[in-house]
Coordinates of all heavy atoms in Angstrom, one line a residue:
M1 N -2.6 56.8 -40.1 CA -2.4 55.5 -40.4 C -2.9 54.6 -39.2 O -2.8 54.9 -38.1 CB -0.9 55.2 -40.4 CG -0.5 53.7 -40.6 SD 1.3 53.6 -41.0 CE 1.8 52.6 -39.6
R2 N -3.7 53.6 -39.6 CA -4.3 52.7 -38.6 C -3.4 51.5 -38.4 O -2.9 50.9 -39.4 CB -5.6 52.3 -39.0 CG -6.7 53.3 -39.1 CD -8.0 52.7 -39.5 NE -9.1 53.6 -39.2 CZ -10.3 53.4 -39.6 NH1 -10.6 52.2 -40.1 NH2 -11.2 54.3 -39.3
L3 N -3.3 51.1 -37.2 CA -2.6 49.8 -36.9 C -3.6 48.7 -36.8 O -4.7 48.9 -36.2 CB -1.7 49.9 -35.6 CG -0.6 50.9 -35.6 CD1 0.0 50.9 -34.2 CD2 0.4 50.6 -36.7
A4 N -3.3 47.6 -37.3 CA -4.2 46.4 -37.3 C -3.5 45.2 -36.6 O -2.3 45.1 -36.7 CB -4.7 46.1 -38.7
T5 N -4.3 44.4 -36.1 CA -3.7 43.2 -35.4 C -4.2 42.0 -36.2 O -5.4 41.9 -36.6 CB -4.2 43.0 -34.0 OG1 -3.7 44.1 -33.2 CG2 -3.6 41.7 -33.4
V6 N -3.3 41.0 -36.5 CA -3.7 39.8 -37.1 C -3.3 38.6 -36.2 O -2.3 38.8 -35.4 CB -3.0 39.6 -38.5 CG1 -3.5 40.6 -39.5 CG2 -1.6 39.6 -38.4
I7 N -4.0 37.6 -36.2 CA -3.6 36.4 -35.4 C -3.4 35.3 -36.4 O -4.3 35.0 -37.2 CB -4.8 36.1 -34.4 CG1 -5.0 37.3 -33.4 CG2 -4.4 34.9 -33.7 CD1 -6.3 37.1 -32.6
V8 N -2.2 34.6 -36.2 CA -2.0 33.5 -37.1 C -2.0 32.3 -36.2 O -1.3 32.2 -35.2 CB -0.5 33.6 -37.8 CG1 -0.2 32.4 -38.6 CG2 -0.5 34.9 -38.6
G9 N -2.8 31.3 -36.6 CA -3.0 30.0 -35.9 C -2.1 29.0 -36.6 O -2.3 28.8 -37.9
I10 N -1.3 28.3 -35.9 CA -0.5 27.2 -36.5 C -1.0 26.0 -35.8 O -0.9 25.8 -34.6 CB 1.0 27.4 -36.3 CG1 1.4 28.7 -36.9 CG2 1.8 26.3 -36.9 CD1 2.9 29.1 -36.8
Y11 N -1.5 25.0 -36.6 CA -2.0 23.8 -36.1 C -1.1 22.6 -36.3 O -0.1 22.7 -36.9 CB -3.4 23.6 -36.7 CG -4.4 24.8 -36.4 CD1 -4.5 25.7 -37.3 CD2 -5.1 24.8 -35.2 CE1 -5.4 26.8 -37.0 CE2 -5.9 25.8 -34.9 CZ -6.0 26.9 -35.9 OH -6.9 27.9 -35.6
K12 N -1.5 21.5 -35.7 CA -0.7 20.3 -35.7 C -0.3 19.8 -37.1 O -1.0 20.1 -38.1 CB -1.4 19.1 -35.0 CG -2.6 18.6 -35.8 CD -3.3 17.5 -35.0 CE -4.5 16.9 -35.9 NZ -5.1 15.8 -35.3
F13 N 0.9 19.1 -37.1 CA 1.3 18.4 -38.3 C 0.5 17.2 -38.4 O 0.2 16.5 -37.4 CB 2.8 18.1 -38.2 CG 3.7 19.2 -38.5 CD1 4.2 20.0 -37.4 CD2 4.1 19.5 -39.7 CE1 5.0 21.1 -37.6 CE2 5.0 20.6 -40.0 CZ 5.4 21.4 -38.9
Q14 N 0.2 16.8 -39.6 CA -0.6 15.5 -39.9 C 0.0 15.0 -41.3 O 0.3 15.7 -42.2 CB -2.0 16.0 -40.1 CG -2.9 14.7 -40.1 CD -4.4 15.2 -40.1 OE1 -4.7 16.3 -40.2 NE2 -5.3 14.2 -40.0
A15 N 0.2 13.7 -41.3 CA 0.6 13.0 -42.5 C -0.5 13.0 -43.5 O -1.6 12.7 -43.2 CB 1.0 11.6 -42.2
R16 N -0.3 13.4 -44.7 CA -1.3 13.5 -45.8 C -0.7 13.0 -47.1 O 0.4 13.2 -47.4 CB -1.7 15.0 -46.0 CG -2.3 15.7 -44.9 CD -3.8 15.5 -44.6 NE -4.7 15.4 -45.8 CZ -5.4 16.4 -46.1 NH1 -5.5 17.5 -45.4 NH2 -6.2 16.3 -47.2
S17 N -1.6 12.4 -47.8 CA -1.1 11.9 -49.2 C -1.2 13.1 -50.1 O -2.2 13.8 -50.2 CB -2.0 10.8 -49.6 OG -2.0 9.7 -48.8
V18 N -0.2 13.3 -51.0 CA -0.1 14.4 -52.0 C 0.4 13.9 -53.3 O 1.2 12.9 -53.3 CB 0.8 15.6 -51.5 CG1 0.1 16.2 -50.2 CG2 2.1 15.2 -51.1
W19 N 0.0 14.6 -54.3 CA 0.5 14.2 -55.6 C 1.8 15.1 -55.9 O 1.8 16.3 -55.8 CB -0.5 14.6 -56.7 CG -0.1 14.2 -58.1 CD1 0.3 15.1 -59.0 CD2 -0.2 12.9 -58.7 NE1 0.6 14.4 -60.2 CE2 0.3 13.1 -60.0 CE3 -0.6 11.7 -58.2 CZ2 0.3 12.0 -60.9 CZ3 -0.5 10.6 -59.1 CH2 0.0 10.8 -60.5
W20 N 3.0 14.4 -56.1 CA 4.2 15.1 -56.2 C 5.0 14.4 -57.3 O 5.4 13.2 -57.2 CB 4.9 15.2 -54.9 CG 6.2 16.1 -54.9 CD1 6.1 17.5 -55.0 CD2 7.5 15.7 -54.8 NE1 7.4 17.9 -54.8 CE2 8.3 16.9 -54.7 CE3 8.1 14.5 -54.6 CZ2 9.6 16.9 -54.7 CZ3 9.5 14.5 -54.5 CH2 10.3 15.7 -54.5
R21 N 5.4 15.2 -58.4 CA 6.3 14.7 -59.4 C 5.8 13.4 -60.0 O 6.5 12.4 -60.1 CB 7.7 14.5 -58.9 CG 8.3 15.9 -58.6 CD 9.8 15.7 -58.3 NE 10.3 17.0 -57.9 CZ 11.6 17.2 -57.6 NH1 12.4 16.2 -57.5 NH2 12.0 18.4 -57.3
G22 N 4.5 13.3 -60.2 CA 3.9 12.1 -60.9 C 3.6 10.9 -60.0 O 3.3 9.8 -60.5
E23 N 3.7 11.1 -58.7 CA 3.4 10.0 -57.8 C 2.7 10.4 -56.6 O 2.9 11.6 -56.2 CB 4.7 9.1 -57.5 CG 5.7 9.9 -56.8 CD 7.0 9.1 -56.5 OE1 6.8 7.8 -56.3 OE2 8.1 9.6 -56.5
I24 N 2.1 9.5 -55.9 CA 1.5 9.9 -54.6 C 2.4 9.5 -53.5 O 2.9 8.4 -53.4 CB 0.1 9.1 -54.4 CG1 -0.9 9.6 -55.5 CG2 -0.5 9.3 -53.0 CD1 -2.2 8.8 -55.5
I25 N 2.7 10.5 -52.6 CA 3.6 10.3 -51.5 C 3.0 10.8 -50.2 O 2.0 11.6 -50.3 CB 5.0 10.9 -51.7 CG1 4.8 12.4 -51.9 CG2 5.7 10.3 -52.9 CD1 6.1 13.2 -51.9
V26 N 3.4 10.4 -49.1 CA 2.9 10.9 -47.8 C 3.9 11.9 -47.3 O 5.1 11.7 -47.3 CB 2.8 9.7 -46.8 CG1 2.4 10.3 -45.4 CG2 1.9 8.7 -47.3
R27 N 3.3 13.1 -47.0 CA 4.1 14.3 -46.5 C 3.5 14.8 -45.2 O 2.3 14.8 -45.1 CB 4.2 15.4 -47.6 CG 4.7 15.0 -49.0 CD 6.2 14.7 -49.0 NE 6.8 16.1 -48.7 CZ 8.1 16.3 -48.8 NH1 8.9 15.4 -49.2 NH2 8.6 17.5 -48.6
P28 N 4.4 15.4 -44.4 CA 3.8 16.1 -43.3 C 3.2 17.4 -43.7 O 3.8 18.2 -44.4 CB 5.0 16.3 -42.3 CG 6.2 16.3 -43.2 CD 5.8 15.4 -44.4
M29 N 1.9 17.7 -43.3 CA 1.2 18.9 -43.7 C 0.9 19.6 -42.3 O 0.6 19.0 -41.3 CB 0.0 18.6 -44.4 CG 0.2 17.8 -45.7 SD 1.1 18.7 -46.9 CE -0.2 19.6 -47.7
M30 N 0.9 20.9 -42.4 CA 0.5 21.8 -41.3 C -0.5 22.8 -41.7 O -0.4 23.3 -42.8 CB 1.8 22.5 -40.8 CG 1.5 23.4 -39.5 SD 3.0 24.2 -38.9 CE 3.3 25.3 -40.2
Y31 N -1.5 23.0 -40.9 CA -2.6 24.0 -41.2 C -2.2 25.4 -40.6 O -1.8 25.4 -39.5 CB -3.9 23.5 -40.7 CG -4.3 22.2 -41.4 CD1 -4.1 20.9 -40.9 CD2 -5.0 22.3 -42.6 CE1 -4.5 19.8 -41.5 CE2 -5.4 21.1 -43.3 CZ -5.1 19.9 -42.7 OH -5.5 18.7 -43.3
L32 N -2.5 26.3 -41.4 CA -2.3 27.7 -40.9 C -3.7 28.4 -41.1 O -4.5 28.2 -42.0 CB -1.4 28.5 -41.8 CG 0.1 28.1 -41.8 CD1 0.9 28.9 -42.8 CD2 0.7 28.3 -40.4
A33 N -4.0 29.3 -40.2 CA -5.3 30.1 -40.2 C -4.8 31.6 -39.8 O -4.0 31.8 -39.1 CB -6.2 29.5 -39.2
L34 N -5.6 32.5 -40.4 CA -5.3 33.9 -40.2 C -6.6 34.6 -39.8 O -7.6 34.4 -40.5 CB -4.8 34.6 -41.4 CG -4.4 36.1 -41.3 CD1 -3.1 36.2 -40.6 CD2 -4.4 36.7 -42.6
S35 N -6.6 35.3 -38.8 CA -7.7 36.1 -38.3 C -7.4 37.5 -38.3 O -6.3 37.9 -37.9 CB -8.2 35.7 -36.9 OG -9.3 36.4 -36.4
H36 N -8.3 38.4 -38.9 CA -7.9 39.8 -38.9 C -9.3 40.6 -38.9 O -10.3 40.1 -39.2 CB -7.1 40.1 -40.2 CG -7.9 39.9 -41.4 ND1 -8.1 38.6 -42.0 CD2 -8.5 40.7 -42.3 CE1 -8.8 38.7 -43.1 NE2 -9.0 39.9 -43.3
D37 N -9.1 41.9 -38.7 CA -10.3 42.8 -38.7 C -10.5 43.3 -40.2 O -9.8 44.0 -40.8 CB -9.9 44.0 -37.8 CG -11.1 44.9 -37.6 OD1 -12.1 44.8 -38.4 OD2 -11.2 45.7 -36.6
H38 N -11.6 42.8 -40.7 CA -12.0 43.1 -42.1 C -12.2 44.7 -42.3 O -12.2 45.1 -43.5 CB -13.2 42.4 -42.6 CG -12.9 40.9 -42.7 ND1 -12.5 40.3 -43.9 CD2 -13.0 39.8 -41.8 CE1 -12.2 39.0 -43.7 NE2 -12.6 38.7 -42.5
R39 N -12.5 45.4 -41.3 CA -12.7 46.8 -41.4 C -11.4 47.6 -41.7 O -11.3 48.6 -42.3 CB -13.3 47.4 -40.1 CG -14.7 46.9 -39.9 CD -15.2 47.3 -38.5 NE -14.3 46.7 -37.5 CZ -14.4 46.9 -36.2 NH1 -15.4 47.7 -35.7 NH2 -13.7 46.3 -35.3
L40 N -10.2 46.9 -41.3 CA -8.9 47.5 -41.4 C -8.1 46.9 -42.5 O -7.2 47.6 -43.0 CB -8.2 47.5 -40.1 CG -8.9 48.3 -38.9 CD1 -8.1 48.1 -37.7 CD2 -9.0 49.7 -39.2
I41 N -8.2 45.6 -42.7 CA -7.4 44.9 -43.7 C -8.2 44.3 -44.7 O -9.2 43.5 -44.4 CB -6.5 43.8 -43.0 CG1 -5.7 44.4 -41.8 CG2 -5.7 43.0 -43.9 CD1 -4.9 43.4 -41.0
D42 N -7.9 44.6 -45.9 CA -8.6 43.9 -47.1 C -8.3 42.4 -47.2 O -7.2 42.0 -46.8 CB -8.3 44.6 -48.4 CG -8.9 44.1 -49.6 OD1 -10.2 44.1 -49.5 OD2 -8.3 43.8 -50.6
G43 N -9.2 41.6 -47.6 CA -9.1 40.2 -47.7 C -7.9 39.8 -48.5 O -7.1 38.8 -48.3
E44 N -7.6 40.5 -49.6 CA -6.6 40.2 -50.6 C -5.2 40.4 -49.8 O -4.3 39.6 -50.0 CB -6.6 41.2 -51.8 CG -5.5 40.9 -52.8 CD -5.6 41.8 -54.0 OE1 -6.6 42.5 -54.2 OE2 -4.7 41.8 -54.8
E45 N -5.0 41.5 -49.1 CA -3.8 41.7 -48.4 C -3.6 40.6 -47.3 O -2.5 40.2 -47.1 CB -3.9 43.1 -47.6 CG -3.9 44.2 -48.6 CD -4.1 45.6 -47.9 OE1 -4.8 45.5 -46.9 OE2 -3.5 46.6 -48.3
A46 N -4.7 40.2 -46.6 CA -4.5 39.1 -45.7 C -4.1 37.8 -46.3 O -3.3 37.1 -45.8 CB -5.9 38.9 -45.0
V47 N -4.6 37.5 -47.5 CA -4.2 36.3 -48.1 C -2.8 36.4 -48.6 O -1.9 35.4 -48.5 CB -5.1 36.0 -49.4 CG1 -4.5 34.9 -50.3 CG2 -6.5 35.7 -49.0
R48 N -2.3 37.6 -49.1 CA -0.9 37.7 -49.4 C 0.0 37.5 -48.2 O 1.0 36.9 -48.4 CB -0.7 39.2 -50.0 CG -0.9 39.2 -51.5 CD -0.4 40.4 -52.2 NE -1.6 41.2 -52.4 CZ -1.6 42.5 -52.0 NH1 -0.5 43.1 -51.5 NH2 -2.7 43.3 -52.2
L49 N -0.4 38.0 -47.0 CA 0.4 37.8 -45.8 C 0.4 36.3 -45.5 O 1.5 35.8 -45.2 CB -0.2 38.6 -44.7 CG 0.4 38.3 -43.3 CD1 1.8 38.8 -43.3 CD2 -0.3 39.0 -42.2
L50 N -0.7 35.6 -45.6 CA -0.7 34.2 -45.2 C 0.1 33.4 -46.2 O 0.9 32.5 -45.8 CB -2.1 33.7 -45.2 CG -2.3 32.3 -44.6 CD1 -1.9 32.3 -43.2 CD2 -3.8 32.0 -44.6
V51 N 0.1 33.7 -47.5 CA 1.0 33.1 -48.5 C 2.5 33.4 -48.2 O 3.3 32.4 -48.3 CB 0.6 33.5 -49.9 CG1 1.6 33.1 -50.9 CG2 -0.8 33.0 -50.3
A52 N 2.8 34.5 -47.9 CA 4.2 34.8 -47.5 C 4.7 34.1 -46.3 O 5.8 33.6 -46.3 CB 4.4 36.3 -47.3
I53 N 3.9 34.0 -45.3 CA 4.2 33.2 -44.1 C 4.4 31.7 -44.5 O 5.4 31.1 -44.1 CB 3.1 33.3 -43.1 CG1 3.1 34.7 -42.5 CG2 3.3 32.3 -41.9 CD1 1.9 35.0 -41.6
K54 N 3.5 31.2 -45.3 CA 3.6 29.8 -45.7 C 4.9 29.5 -46.5 O 5.6 28.6 -46.3 CB 2.4 29.4 -46.7 CG 2.4 28.0 -47.3 CD 1.4 27.9 -48.3 CE 1.8 28.3 -49.7 NZ 2.8 27.6 -50.5
E55 N 5.3 30.5 -47.4 CA 6.5 30.3 -48.2 C 7.7 30.4 -47.3 O 8.7 29.7 -47.6 CB 6.5 31.4 -49.3 CG 5.5 31.1 -50.4 CD 5.4 32.2 -51.3 OE1 6.0 33.3 -51.2 OE2 4.7 32.1 -52.4
L56 N 7.7 31.2 -46.3 CA 8.8 31.2 -45.4 C 9.0 30.0 -44.5 O 10.1 29.5 -44.3 CB 8.7 32.5 -44.5 CG 8.9 33.8 -45.2 CD1 8.6 35.0 -44.2 CD2 10.4 34.0 -45.7
I57 N 7.9 29.4 -44.1 CA 7.9 28.2 -43.4 C 8.4 27.1 -44.3 O 9.2 26.2 -43.9 CB 6.5 27.8 -42.8 CG1 6.2 28.8 -41.7 CG2 6.5 26.4 -42.3 CD1 4.7 28.7 -41.2
E58 N 8.0 27.1 -45.5 CA 8.4 26.0 -46.5 C 9.9 26.1 -46.8 O 10.5 25.1 -47.1 CB 7.5 26.1 -47.7 CG 6.2 25.6 -47.5 CD 5.3 25.7 -48.8 OE1 5.8 26.4 -49.8 OE2 4.3 25.2 -48.9
D59 N 10.5 27.4 -46.9 CA 11.9 27.5 -47.2 C 12.5 28.6 -46.3 O 12.6 29.7 -46.6 CB 11.9 28.1 -48.7 CG 13.3 28.2 -49.1 OD1 14.2 27.7 -48.5 OD2 13.6 28.8 -50.2
P60 N 12.8 28.1 -45.0 CA 13.3 29.0 -44.0 C 14.6 29.7 -44.4 O 14.9 30.7 -43.8 CB 13.5 28.1 -42.8 CG 13.5 26.7 -43.3 CD 12.7 26.7 -44.6
G61 N 15.3 29.2 -45.3 CA 16.6 29.9 -45.8 C 16.3 31.2 -46.4 O 17.2 32.1 -46.3
R62 N 15.1 31.4 -46.8 CA 14.7 32.8 -47.4 C 14.7 33.9 -46.3 O 15.0 35.0 -46.6 CB 13.4 32.7 -48.0 CG 13.3 31.8 -49.3 CD 11.9 31.8 -49.8 NE 11.5 33.2 -50.2 CZ 10.4 33.5 -50.6 NH1 9.4 32.6 -50.7 NH2 10.1 34.8 -51.0
I63 N 14.5 33.4 -45.0 CA 14.5 34.4 -44.0 C 15.9 35.0 -43.8 O 16.1 36.1 -43.6 CB 14.0 33.8 -42.7 CG1 12.5 33.4 -42.8 CG2 14.1 34.7 -41.5 CD1 11.9 32.5 -41.7
L64 N 16.9 34.0 -43.8 CA 18.2 34.5 -43.6 C 18.9 35.2 -44.8 O 19.6 36.1 -44.6 CB 19.1 33.2 -43.3 CG 18.7 32.4 -42.0 CD1 19.5 31.2 -42.0 CD2 18.9 33.3 -40.8
L65 N 18.4 34.8 -46.0 CA 19.0 35.4 -47.2 C 18.2 36.6 -47.6 O 18.6 37.3 -48.6 CB 19.0 34.3 -48.3 CG 19.8 33.1 -48.0 CD1 19.6 32.1 -49.2 CD2 21.3 33.5 -47.9
E66 N 17.0 36.8 -47.0 CA 16.1 38.0 -47.3 C 15.8 38.0 -48.9 O 15.9 39.0 -49.5 CB 16.7 39.3 -47.0 CG 16.9 39.4 -45.5 CD 17.5 40.8 -45.1 OE1 17.3 41.7 -45.8 OE2 18.1 40.8 -44.0
V67 N 15.4 36.8 -49.4 CA 15.1 36.7 -50.8 C 13.6 36.9 -51.0 O 12.8 36.4 -50.3 CB 15.5 35.3 -51.3 CG1 15.0 35.1 -52.8 CG2 16.9 35.1 -51.3

């Protein structure tokens, strides 16, 4: 089994206009970036990890409830 390292970059919050429930509203948005060794980690797995991190940040209660 090979161990791999990933680096997750969390960047500044920025107010952005988004379409939500039929209207345009201003919401705080944060950028995430993931860096990994493509020789050890397939791109699809890396994207799944980044999506999971995003979902946990959006709903931190899931961390406590382990949903």
Side-chain angles (χ1 to χ4, degrees):
M1 178 170 118
R2 291 181 167 180
L3 295 179
T5 301
V6 297
I7 300 170
V8 177
I10 300 175
Y11 299 94
K12 69 178 180 175
F13 281 92
Q14 186 175 11
R16 300 278 316 257
S17 299
V18 294
W19 183 260
W20 190 68
R21 294 186 181 178
E23 62 182 329
I24 296 175
I25 61 172
V26 176
R27 302 287 294 190
M29 302 294 272
M30 179 178 72
Y31 294 96
L32 293 176
L34 181 79
S35 178
H36 65 284
D37 187 342
H38 291 271
R39 297 171 296 178
L40 300 176
I41 300 175
D42 183 50
E44 182 181 348
E45 292 173 328
V47 169
R48 274 193 259 130
L49 173 63
L50 194 57
V51 168
I53 292 169
K54 177 192 81 78
E55 290 173 352
L56 289 172
I57 291 171
E58 288 176 346
D59 186 11
R62 293 180 63 189
I63 298 170
L64 299 174
L65 299 175
E66 297 181 23
V67 176

